[in-house]
Amino acid sequence: MTYIAATDRYEQIPYHRVGHSGLKLPAISLGLWNNFGGTDAVENQRAMLHRAFDLGITHFDLANNYGPPPGSAEENFGNILKKDFQPYRDELIISTKAGYKMWDGPYGDWGSKKYLISSLDQSLKRLQLDYVDIFYHHRPDPDTPLEETMAALDLVVRQGKALYVGISNYSAGDTEKAIEILQRQGTPFIIHQAAYSMLNRWIEDGLTDVLEKGGAGCIAFVPLAQGLLTNKYLKGIPEDSRAAKEHIPFLNNKDITNEVIEKVKKLDALANERGQSLAQMALAWVLQEKTVVSALIGASRVSQIEENVKALDNTSFTKDELSLIKNILGEN
């Protein structure tokens, strides 16, 4: 059956300008880090992408290594895009990244111009696209001069392979240097993709100021702290949860301490008072940070996307609520 997007999709969600650029992103974006790889059901992927776009989510975020296996998320998305979303390509913001290992040898990792240009060419083939809207350097490279990495980002814009460029996982100091280099080269830096949540507030220690000064925005990934800021772990660690899988390095049993769970329970109680789920409140809280233009969610089923978008029904906080959240997080 031919996919036809909902006619009211742009009435569902606000769009925020990215820094000083002309680009706007939906307040909620969908990341394809997990559940869109070669081992996942393609029909579920299609259903999630359809529903996301029907709800006004126009931004789909990928990376060269998303899978598993690496590259398969781009391949799957490219096939779905060609089959279902081709009429809507100009309504979509599609991003990808390079910076982690993709192939053996000295040219398949980190941040050299050789790697970044080659990787983007491969990504475009998998995505079946002539260009992406945003191309990121995925992580800083301690051995490659920052000037070379930024020159690669400048080059892909001049080649027409990316409309905008950004970085991810950079410190405040390195971000400031990257902004200055790109400004000299004539390709503005517009966006930083950074981990940010109630339980991980590192960007407030300098990065947000750098982004505001540089006229750039931030898109927050893992805003739900890999699921900790949901009701999933309030009564322990479910056997089918991400934290129960020891091979996943980002959230394990060691991360879910009694202290963390007590904080989460108190946050959950406040969310209930606000008439929201904990996940919805956590997303709303991330979006009240001045430079955050979008919260990047992941999903394994359609209902999660629907619940997360409902966070936008209540994104304001009273002074008392913000003060209580600070107390819960141990900041006062």
Side-chain angles (χ1 to χ4, degrees), residues 24-243:
K24 292 183 178 181
L25 291 183
I28 301 291
S29 299
L30 181 62
L32 280 63
W33 182 12
N34 296 297
N35 305 308
F36 287 86
T39 60
D40 301 296
V42 173
E43 282 308 305
N44 186 51
Q45 297 176 34
R46 292 183 71 222
M48 288 192 288
L49 292 169
H50 290 178
R51 186 60 178 144
F53 190 54
D54 285 345
L55 290 171
I57 295 177
T58 55
H59 179 211
F60 299 120
D61 180 76
L62 298 112
N64 58 355
N65 63 330
Y66 288 177
S72 59
E74 288 181 329
E75 288 179 352
N76 288 338
F77 181 78
N79 289 333
I80 295 170
L81 177 68
K82 184 176 182 180
K83 182 176 181 180
D84 298 346
F85 287 94
Q86 203 61 43
Y88 307 104
R89 172 61 183 101
D90 292 337
E91 300 180 42
L92 299 177
I93 300 299
I94 299 169
S95 61
T96 196
K97 316 175 199 72
Y100 287 90
K101 183 175 180 179
M102 274 299 288
W103 60 88
D104 292 335
Y107 318 120
D109 200 353
W110 293 105
S112 70
K113 180 180 285 190
K114 169 68 174 176
Y115 169 55
L116 294 181
I117 301 302
S118 299
S119 181
L120 180 53
D121 285 344
Q122 293 180 20
S123 289
L124 291 174
K125 289 179 181 177
R126 288 190 290 265
L127 292 166
Q128 302 178 59
L129 293 173
D130 295 323
Y131 71 93
V132 292
D133 297 279
I134 304 173
F135 181 58
Y136 294 92
H137 185 220
H138 210 164
R139 62 171 173 171
D141 182 347
D143 297 321
T144 299
L146 192 58
E147 288 79 5
E148 177 179 339
T149 300
M150 294 304 108
L153 297 186
D154 173 69
L155 179 59
V156 299
V157 172
R158 295 182 187 279
Q159 290 176 330
K161 296 176 182 177
L163 301 185
Y164 303 93
V165 292
I167 56 178
S168 182
N169 298 307
Y170 275 56
S171 68
D174 284 343
T175 298
E176 189 169 31
K177 293 175 184 176
I179 291 174
E180 292 173 355
I181 294 168
L182 282 170
Q183 285 177 339
R184 290 200 304 267
Q185 294 174 338
T187 295
F189 164 90
I190 71 160
I191 193 164
H192 188 300
Q193 188 171 132
Y196 183 52
S197 72
M198 287 179 166
L199 300 178
N200 181 10
R201 304 183 62 174
W202 75 275
I203 71 170
E204 298 172 12
D205 189 21
L207 180 60
T208 55
D209 292 334
V210 167
L211 294 177
E212 187 173 29
K213 178 182 177 182
C218 177
I219 179 169
F221 74 90
V222 292
L224 302 182
Q226 298 283 2
L228 272 176
L229 291 171
T230 69
N231 60 8
K232 183 181 295 185
Y233 298 104
L234 293 176
K235 297 180 180 179
I237 302 176
E239 291 184 3
D240 63 346
S241 68
R242 184 177 300 174

Side-chain angles (χ1 to χ4, degrees), residues 238-259:
E239 291 184 3
D240 63 346
S241 68
R242 184 177 300 174
K245 300 174 182 177
E246 293 297 332
H247 68 280
I248 296 180
F250 303 102
L251 181 67
N252 295 134
N253 292 352
K254 67 181 185 304
D255 302 305
I256 308 178
T257 64
N258 290 333
E259 180 182 5

